[in-house]
Amino acid sequence: MPSFKSSSERTGWPQDVGIIAIEVYFPSQFVDQKELESFDGASQGKYTIGLGQTKMGFCSDREDINSLCLTVLSRLMERTGVGYENIGRLEVGTETIIDKSKSVKSCLMQLFEDAGNSDVEGIDTTNACYGGTAALINAINWVESSSWDGRYAVVVAGDIAVYATGPARPTGGAGAVAMLVGPHAPLIMEKGVRGSHMCHVYDFYKPDLSSEYPTVDGKLSIQCYLSALDACYQTFSRKSDASKNASSPPMTLDQLDAVIFHSPFCKLVQKSLARLAFNDFLNTPADKVASKYPGLEAFREKKLEDTYFDKDVERAFMDYSQALFQAKTKPSLLLATQVGNMYTPSVYGGLASFLASNSARNLVGKKVAMFSYGSGLAATMFSLRISEDAGPDSSLSHLVTSLADLTVRLDSRTRVSPSVFAETMKLRESTHHKAPYTPVGSIDVLFPGTWYLTHVDEKYRRQYERRPLISVHATPPIASTSTNYALKDSSSVSADLISHQT
Ligand code: ACO
């Protein structure tokens, strides 16, 4: 359990800075991808097997980027019991833009008013699905810097991922993740090994500011994603090797206990793990190839840049890495397959899914690689080391327990037909940036504790209200004066969610 001192009381530099708590929010409604296949006239299996998606979360006109972020931040603060006065930095990563010059972070400052805390650094960061990672890096850098004032940082990543009708539509989704950042974290950002790759490309962007939909070159975006993955992994591996003693084995998938990816769709993630195996294969000394990669020697002459769509290479390394995928990556795909691409929160939804699939004891000391990709493009691979203490009162145990309700919450969502989903998309299209406007979507269908849009006035100013959350209202006040956080038992929170649903 972290205990903070004010900056004047502190001695020494903050240690083990990283992620202390994670809260995930996804919409309460979803469309089934199998039903969507037949509704769209796609061949059976294209979305479910070809893309690897089972369900897609979506929002009615009651939710926008401000409401998603209000919901997830409120839930993080309630679940952890951290007071708003104990936050010194708030960073938002999003590519869902509504007020353009006015940040989502400024809207979230409404939540800090009762605590009288306006001394909160940080602002929004945007580059497609990468903004959450830029926000996390900023937050960690702040805690590790001379600017740190001893308080926590919070990172919020949220997006509504919607596409026009056509092949990209089943790769949508929506959601938000909030992360508490500070020292003595159970998920520690490893130092000096981050590998980034950034360049100029028009694979996916949003030049039409009157529309929620991106302009997307699907095939190019996949090539960009895979080339960024290669570049980040090579840099990450080189820096990792440089930071080890000479006798340690070089960085390969064998040195990683889990590999978590930004997930536009789950099949691409499986191909990405295979791609890392292909990178390892190409980096393996010639005399070791036959023993480590039997039957794959024929691919030795292949080059990374020629093989983004080489089906022989793809198939061979997907076969080779099947067991690695099951062990190191598949557990991270729970939210990705059931909610879809959440854009900026996607890779952190992967982290939450991975943690939820494990006990704290099993996670101790593990090394997790994270790959974040945002079109345009910006990409980083970094690693988290999980702390050693898995005792019942450890921050690792609290973190894992707090995510134990993910599956129950996913299962408590409402399934809607593809035709209702399509009508909802049309409604969002026709009312996006309309003013004045009063949303018509049902409030009753929203999860308890969800913030929702009540009105947009003639000056485009947005007003929000919140559905009540029994457990929070029944036990005020949350430990608002303490700098120690005590996570609420997730089972009681999820029980409230379900009782409100039914
Ligand atoms: N049964 C099983 N598999 C099928 C079937 C079927 N009936 N029909 C097609 N498939 C397979 C295809 O073989 C293909 O698999 P493969 O690539 O392993 O060969 C897969 O399903 C997809 O089919 P495609 O014809 O390639 O799909 P299409 O080109 O229509 O659309 C795309 C896919 C490009 C990903 C589109 O959904 C898109 O543009 N999405 C948004 C962009 C995106 O997500 N980019 C990724 C990185 S950028 C980001 O995160 C936003």
Side-chain angles (χ1 to χ4, degrees):
M1 185 90 52
S3 169
F4 284 176
K5 294 176 173 151
S6 72
S7 47
S8 56
E9 291 172 305
R10 268 194 346 253
T11 52
W13 219 241
Q15 295 296 311
D16 293 341
V17 178
I19 302 165
I20 296 169
I22 304 177
E23 183 66 35
V24 179
Y25 172 73
F26 43 79
S28 62
Q29 301 191 91
F30 71 90
V31 62
D32 184 271
Q33 292 276 12
K34 209 176 167 62
E35 292 179 13
L36 196 58
E37 276 167 359
S38 57
F39 179 80
D40 288 350
S43 59
Q44 207 184 342
K46 179 171 178 186
Y47 302 168
T48 46
I49 300 164
L51 299 176
Q53 297 302 119
T54 55
K55 294 168 182 171
M56 177 166 58
F58 68 96
C59 301
S60 75
D61 62 347
R62 281 287 173 193
E63 293 185 274
D64 62 18
I65 186 57
N66 289 342
S67 75
L68 290 187
C69 293
L70 283 165
T71 301
V72 80
L73 177 58
S74 302
R75 295 301 306 269
L76 177 83
M77 302 302 280
E78 287 153 2
R79 219 199 276 256
T80 58
V82 170
Y84 283 96
E85 66 280 14
N86 295 316
I87 306 302
R89 192 169 184 107
L90 173 61
E91 294 270 347
V92 177
T94 185
E95 59 166 293
T96 307
I97 308 299
I98 41 177
D99 289 330
K100 301 189 180 75
S101 71
K102 179 169 158 44
S103 63
V104 174
K105 186 275 180 78
S106 63
C107 176
L108 297 181
M109 288 309 296
Q110 292 172 98
L111 298 177
F112 291 70
E113 283 171 13
D114 286 349
N117 180 16
S118 62
D119 176 23
V120 184
E121 292 186 359
I123 214 73
D124 294 7
T125 304
T126 298
N127 191 95
C129 308
Y130 184 80
T133 296
L136 178 64
I137 290 172
N138 286 347
I140 286 177
N141 286 351
W142 176 68
V143 176
E144 289 184 338
S145 77
S146 59
S147 304
W148 187 49
D149 67 1
R151 293 182 293 167
Y152 293 101
V154 169
V155 171
V156 176
D159 276 305
I160 295 175
V162 283
Y163 292 92
T165 49
R169 178 155 276 190
T171 60
V177 166
M179 295 176 278
L180 189 69
V181 170
H184 311 298
L187 307 179
I188 303 150
M189 172 80 83
E190 293 199 303
K191 290 183 181 166
V193 295
R194 288 200 296 258
S196 292
H197 177 70
M198 312 227 170
C199 61
H200 171 57
V201 61
Y202 283 115
D203 61 330
F204 166 116
Y205 50 109
K206 293 178 177 165
D208 180 357
L209 295 178
S210 67
S211 168
E212 281 197 290
Y213 300 143
T215 298
V216 56
D217 182 335
K219 193 168 180 206
L220 177 62
S221 73
I222 291 169
Q223 179 175 329
C224 290
Y225 180 104
L226 294 174
S227 62
L229 176 65
D230 290 341
C232 289
Y233 187 55
Q234 299 281 343
T235 307
F236 170 79
S237 301
R238 180 172 42 76
K239 290 186 180 175
S240 298
D241 291 345
S243 70
K244 284 183 194 149
N245 31 17
S247 57
S248 305
M251 173 55 65
T252 64
L253 286 174
D254 293 341
Q255 269 61 62
L256 299 168
D257 298 296
V259 192
I260 298 173
F261 300 85
H262 164 58
S263 180
F265 51 94
C266 293
K267 195 62 171 289
L268 183 59
V269 169
Q270 185 167 3
K271 289 182 184 180
S272 297
L273 200 269
R275 188 84 192 163
L276 297 188
F278 180 50
N279 272 261
D280 283 352
F281 164 81
L282 293 180
N283 291 338
T284 300
D287 59 331
K288 299 215 166 69
V289 167
S291 58
K292 181 118 207 278
Y293 299 93
L296 296 175
E297 297 89 332
F299 297 106
R300 228 6 217 186
E301 300 310 315
K302 296 278 186 182
K303 291 196 167 52
L304 287 171
E305 60 272 23
D306 300 334
T307 52
Y308 302 123
F309 299 105
D310 184 325
K311 287 289 169 199
D312 294 333
V313 170
E314 186 181 286
R315 217 171 293 117
F317 284 89
M318 278 179 81
D319 285 349
Y320 171 82
S321 62
Q322 182 62 33
L324 291 172
F325 171 71
Q326 293 293 334
K328 299 186 189 223
T329 298
K330 190 150 184 240
S332 68
L333 293 178
L334 173 71
L335 282 161
T337 185
Q338 293 221 25
V339 178
N341 189 358
M342 300 190 285
Y343 288 167
T344 51
S346 167
V347 67
Y348 302 100
L351 178 61
S353 301
F354 165 69
L355 295 169
S357 75
N358 262 294
S359 67
R361 195 175 295 277
N362 276 346
L363 290 166
V364 161
K366 296 255 190 292
K367 186 182 179 82
V368 180
M370 308 273 293
F371 174 65
S372 177
Y373 175 80
S375 291
L377 68 79
T380 295
M381 181 172 279
F382 61 95
S383 55
L384 299 169
R385 182 168 49 81
I386 301 183
S387 60
E388 298 290 335
D389 182 5
D393 223 14
S394 63
S395 51
L396 177 59
S397 274
H398 288 302
L399 171 60
V400 173
T401 307
S402 75
L403 294 166
D405 62 354
L406 272 189
T407 309
V408 177
R409 287 168 57 199
L410 286 166
D411 291 348
S412 69
R413 292 178 297 169
T414 305
R415 186 174 98 224
V416 303
S417 67
S419 60
V420 172
F421 163 70
E423 280 163 25
T424 308
M425 290 300 104
K426 279 210 179 100
L427 175 70
R428 287 191 70 94
E429 270 172 46
S430 61
T431 61
H432 182 64
H433 275 296
K434 194 171 167 192
Y437 179 63
T438 301
V440 296
S442 163
I443 294 164
D444 295 338
V445 78
L446 301 172
F447 285 130
T450 301
W451 286 87
Y452 58 90
L453 183 66
T454 55
H455 187 62
V456 184
D457 75 11
E458 67 288 351
K459 286 190 163 178
Y460 293 87
R461 292 173 298 196
R462 290 167 181 257
Q463 281 138 29
Y464 300 90
E465 280 181 23
R466 191 183 188 197
R467 284 209 68 200
L469 177 66
I470 285 177
S471 65
V472 173
H473 287 194
T475 54
I478 309 297
S480 54
T481 55
S482 169
T483 49
N484 290 337
Y485 81 92
L487 285 159
K488 283 177 165 294
D489 178 4
S490 70
S491 58
S492 67
V493 175
S494 61
D496 290 333
L497 288 171
I498 292 159
S499 68
H500 257 243
Q501 274 293 101
T502 48

